[in-house]
Amino acid sequence: MRFKFGMLPQLGILIYLCAILFAPVTSGLFTGSPLVLATHQYKRHDCIERGIIRYLRDQIIRTIWDAPVKQSNPLTPSINTPSSSAPPSTHIAQYGGDVVLRFQIQNAEEAEALVEAVHVLLLDVWEFNREWVDIRLSRDIVPALLGLLPSSLQRAHTPLMHDLAQTIYESFPSPTSKVKPTMKVIHPGFPSSLRSSTDESNIFFNDYQPLSVIIPWMRLLHSLFSTHARMISIGTTFEGRDIPALRVGVHSTNSEKPSGPRKTIIITGGAHAREWISTSTVNYVAYSLITAYGKSKSMTKFLEKIDWVFIPTLNPDGYVYTWEHDRLWRKNRQQTNLRFCKGVDLDRTFGFEWDGQESKSNPCSESFSGESPFEGVESRRFANWVKNETESGAMQVVGFLDFHSYSQQILYPYSFSCTSAPPSLEDLEEVAMGLAKAIRQTSGEVYGVTSACEGSAISSPSSRRSGPSASGDSSLWPRIESGGGSALDWLYHEMHVRYAFQIKLGDTGSYGFLLPSIHIVPTGKEAFAAVKYFGQYILGNKGIELEENEDDQDQGHFEDQKRQASYMGQKPIFFQSSNLEASRSPVPVKKEVQEITDDYVMVEHDKVDWELRKQK
């Protein structure tokens, strides 16, 4: 079923309807239009606005391509869905009829046809790399999509998720996972000293956490570990929220030593709001590093020699929106020139090789990069903060890790071009391979290594076998979206950060952005192992030499359980992200502080549960 050019008049109707829908209410041409007045009333509810656009688009696509109309009620849960865990009605309405399909690309014709179809149908591309493309779309639109593709590609796709709404619901904290009131409450960030702490007993990492829990948790880290951790704000968002960060490091108080810029590693997550695992992973790594100070020789050295800046979410507005309205929201929440299409892709608005011409005319695109460089409020505030801190001599950024999901890849510059090789290519490849190896030794998971451009470009089977080529490969086919304006390229080229990487966490498609919370701790362990290697490399350990008497080498082949046994029973006990079961904390947690934080966590979890119940 292919598009017929005889349908062009209907496309004209689509353009006309969009003009009415997006025209200013005060426009003289459409003043008083019932459609305009009706849609204006929906301005207060973004999820309804989004639904209007989606409904209008789907209806016109069905008309043009003669797609069948689904007869079932979209507000009725599937028969196979357990009534006790039915998704919130808002998500059923939005995603109840959606599926995620993976397309395997074999030739340039298929690649070009798929790219064109994505742009025509305004589809949500979840992820893409050298071998496959994952696309979320309504079941009713599948025939229209297949009608635009070559016959070979119509049979080269497989479904990844059959019940997207249920998978979305399951990514939220479960009401049954709350600690019972009769049990001893364990604070999420600081487990009770009355028992040995493990990753599984740490409530904070048992589930994904909303921003209303993350920010107080960061404040607690600041107050309880004030000797080497402090909470800062790197700026404010479009909606006026702070962009919170933890700055971790131990500064010398010896005034005789010359003070200069501190070597600094910046670790960010959550630039794309729906990638919850990236936010949890940054929190996990920050907590593991902070609580290891004074207990691990290498971790202590890290904090004495390097400042670490952890930014769990660079996009707080979008992150909050994913919890309260739309779990799969990607962009930030700033207004664009189309009233119903909010947000820009923060990882496409940085000033180096910004390429907004492709998406400039389509604010509804998930990868909309704005109308000019640094139009994204949060990316501009982040860039200004880095510039100001660097120019004032407060820091020298020597490393940058940007966590995303999904596809399990270690990506190095450049993102904007597959033909431009970075000057320090060999060093970047060496470190990237080391990061991947550290993860593999920790969990057995395999992370691919390539440039950010080639990691997001479809390529021929022959080039996949031969591996990536930093100088560019003529067998690379059209890209699904532009790679210009990325934070990775800007930090590397403009701020001269020698070691800059984007790490795409798990999984490889089974859950995509909806990775179950059971994977938070394993993913955090992988990331922490990579961060430890990263710090060692920057301090001069190139992955070959090992420090003498190291007490934190615990990646499966270093036996140190006897040393840990001597710590058992001493309090307070904190968990670490490695195989160390327990250890002493250099900063004691007072009993009254423990009780206050315990009560706070229970209240916050009650709030989350109540909000989820109201949506059901």
Side-chain angles (χ1 to χ4, degrees):
M1 180 164 42
R2 291 185 174 274
F3 173 77
K4 298 179 180 180
F5 286 96
M7 299 291 186
L8 285 176
Q10 295 176 348
L11 282 180
I13 297 175
L14 172 60
I15 296 172
Y16 173 75
L17 289 174
C18 288
I20 294 177
L21 188 62
F22 298 129
V25 178
T26 57
S27 169
L29 179 62
F30 301 111
T31 300
S33 167
L35 179 58
V36 171
L37 294 177
T39 56
H40 178 60
Q41 294 176 2
Y42 287 118
K43 180 67 177 175
R44 297 168 294 177
H45 304 285
D46 291 321
C47 61
I48 300 179
E49 296 169 3
R50 191 177 173 89
I52 292 175
I53 297 173
R54 182 172 175 174
Y55 176 79
L56 180 61
R57 180 203 67 182
D58 292 355
Q59 288 297 109
I60 294 176
I61 289 175
R62 291 190 189 102
T63 302
I64 295 176
W65 277 275
D66 194 27
V69 178
K70 188 176 180 180
Q71 299 298 326
S72 61
N73 185 352
L75 297 179
T76 303
S78 169
I79 296 177
N80 297 326
T81 302
S83 58
S84 60
S85 59
S89 60
T90 54
H91 288 149
I92 298 177
Q94 285 179 295
Y95 302 113
D98 284 14
V99 294
V100 179
L101 301 181
R102 170 165 293 181
F103 288 84
Q104 302 285 346
I105 310 298
Q106 296 298 323
N107 56 58
E109 178 189 3
E110 293 179 353
E112 182 140 6
L114 186 60
V115 171
E116 183 178 353
V118 165
H119 292 313
V120 169
L121 299 178
L122 299 177
L123 300 180
D124 179 13
V125 178
W126 271 29
E127 190 55 76
F128 53 95
N129 62 16
R130 296 165 62 88
E131 301 181 16
W132 44 259
V133 179
D134 292 349
I135 300 175
R136 177 189 64 81
L137 72 166
S138 169
R139 288 189 182 92
D140 297 342
I141 307 303
V142 172
L145 172 61
L146 298 181
L148 294 173
L149 303 178
S151 57
S152 59
L153 198 54
Q154 294 177 8
R155 300 183 296 272
H157 65 273
T158 54
L160 297 181
M161 295 183 197
H162 295 280
D163 193 344
L164 184 60
Q166 180 66 26
T167 307
I168 288 174
Y169 176 75
E170 291 172 354
S171 70
F172 284 85
S174 171
T176 59
S177 67
K178 185 179 68 173
V179 179
K180 296 180 181 180
T182 57
M183 296 175 60
K184 170 65 179 177
V185 178
I186 308 298
H187 180 255
F190 310 98
S192 171
S193 60
L194 299 178
R195 51 178 287 186
S196 172
S197 173
T198 64
D199 297 336
E200 289 71 20
S201 69
N202 194 291
I203 297 176
F204 187 80
F205 298 112
N206 279 354
D207 285 309
Y208 295 107
Q209 304 294 348
L211 193 66
S212 61
V213 173
I214 291 175
I215 290 180
W217 178 80
M218 294 172 71
R219 291 196 188 107
L220 284 170
L221 286 173
H222 168 94
S223 61
L224 294 175
F225 298 93
S226 57
T227 57
H228 54 282
R230 60 191 178 97
M231 186 176 178
I232 63 173
S233 172
I234 66 168
T236 55
T237 67
F238 174 79
E239 294 181 348
R241 294 182 176 89
D242 283 328
I243 303 175
L246 285 169
R247 193 163 194 163
V248 182
V250 180
H251 293 213
S252 174
T253 58
N254 187 348
S255 59
E256 296 180 358
K257 293 184 178 180
S259 60
R262 286 270 294 183
K263 289 184 178 180
T264 302
I265 294 176
I266 299 176
I267 300 180
T268 64
H272 295 146
R274 61 190 176 186
E275 299 171 8
W276 286 6
I277 189 63
S278 68
T279 296
S280 292
T281 298
V282 173
N283 286 332
Y284 188 101
V285 173
Y287 177 83
S288 300
L289 186 61
I290 291 171
T291 57
Y293 175 69
K295 299 179 296 185
S296 162
K297 181 179 178 181
S298 64
M299 298 298 102
T300 301
K301 184 178 180 181
F302 283 168
L303 270 60
E304 291 174 345
K305 301 293 185 180
I306 300 174
D307 270 4
W308 301 75
V309 178
F310 296 95
I311 307 174
T313 173
L314 200 60
N315 183 9
D317 293 348
Y319 187 72
V320 170
Y321 194 77
T322 61
W323 279 83
E324 297 179 353
H325 299 284
D326 184 352
R327 173 65 179 85
L328 295 179
W329 184 262
R330 168 186 168 100
K331 302 183 286 184
N332 74 349
R333 292 294 299 162
Q334 73 185 69
Q335 187 62 57
T336 66
N337 58 4
L338 290 183
R339 67 170 70 179
F340 297 117
C341 292
K342 290 185 176 181
V344 299
D345 182 347
L346 292 180
D347 202 36
R348 292 291 174 264
T349 63
F350 284 81
F352 179 69
E353 293 294 338
W354 176 82
D355 183 19
Q357 298 305 318
E358 183 177 344
S359 66
K360 185 175 180 179
S361 60
N362 184 14
C364 298
S365 170
E366 294 288 354
S367 57
F368 178 56
S369 55
E371 298 185 354
S372 60
F374 286 116
E375 184 171 308
V377 172
E378 293 80 7
S379 58
R380 183 170 68 251
R381 299 282 161 74
F382 172 65
N384 289 339
W385 177 80
V386 174
K387 284 183 178 179
N388 293 337
E389 291 288 304
T390 301
E391 293 171 358
S392 67
M395 70 181 187
Q396 175 195 357
V397 184
V398 295
F400 175 64
L401 298 178
D402 185 19
F403 285 105
H404 286 259
S405 72
Y406 56 97
S407 74
Q408 296 185 190
Q409 295 188 92
I410 312 292
L411 306 177
Y412 53 81
Y414 287 113
S415 173
F416 80 93
S417 171
C418 294
T419 58
S420 298
S424 58
L425 175 62
E426 291 185 2
D427 289 341
L428 290 170
E429 288 181 329
E430 179 184 355
V431 177
M433 294 296 293
L435 294 171
K437 182 178 180 179
I439 292 174
R440 187 172 65 253
Q441 289 180 330
T442 300
S443 64
E445 293 292 335
V446 177
Y447 277 59
V449 174
T450 186
S451 73
C453 174
E454 293 185 350
S456 57
I458 311 169
S459 61
S460 66
S462 61
S463 70
R464 298 172 200 163
R465 290 191 294 269
S466 61
S469 171
S471 61
D473 192 334
S474 59
S475 59
L476 290 173
W477 297 329
R479 302 184 67 175
I480 297 293
E481 64 182 39
S482 169
S486 70
L488 175 70
D489 288 357
W490 183 81
L491 265 295
Y492 177 79
H493 190 275
E494 295 296 314
M495 300 308 298
H496 310 293
V497 179
R498 185 176 180 84
Y499 302 108
F501 301 90
Q502 183 180 103
I503 301 180
K504 291 194 173 183
L505 302 166
D507 57 9
T508 56
S510 298
Y511 293 97
F513 303 121
L514 306 173
L515 196 66
S517 58
I518 194 174
H519 294 280
I520 292 175
V521 170
T523 302
K525 288 183 177 182
E526 294 173 0
F528 189 46
V531 167
K532 287 192 291 184
Y533 167 83
F534 194 53
Q536 290 168 354
Y537 188 96
I538 288 178
L539 288 180
N541 182 351
K542 306 303 182 182
I544 300 175
E545 310 89 351
L546 293 176
E547 297 182 25
E548 294 183 0
N549 301 321
E550 188 58 80
D551 61 358
D552 66 335
Q553 300 292 349
D554 54 351
Q555 296 175 350
H557 52 277
F558 292 95
E559 298 293 332
D560 57 0
Q561 297 303 316
K562 292 182 180 180
R563 180 186 62 81
Q564 293 306 309
S566 64
Y567 288 143
M568 297 300 292
Q570 299 186 37
K571 60 182 183 179
I573 296 177
F574 291 81
F575 85 91
Q576 295 188 30
S577 66
S578 60
N579 293 333
L580 312 183
E581 291 299 328
S583 60
R584 283 186 302 172
S585 167
V587 181
V589 181
K590 295 182 180 180
K591 180 180 179 181
E592 53 269 27
V593 174
Q594 181 73 51
E595 294 175 351
I596 292 173
T597 54
D598 288 348
D599 293 340
Y600 169 79
V601 172
M602 290 304 301
V603 170
E604 289 303 315
H605 276 274
D606 286 340
K607 288 181 181 178
V608 173
D609 292 346
W610 174 244
E611 290 299 325
L612 288 175
R613 293 177 185 277
K614 287 198 300 182
Q615 295 182 49
K616 292 177 60 175

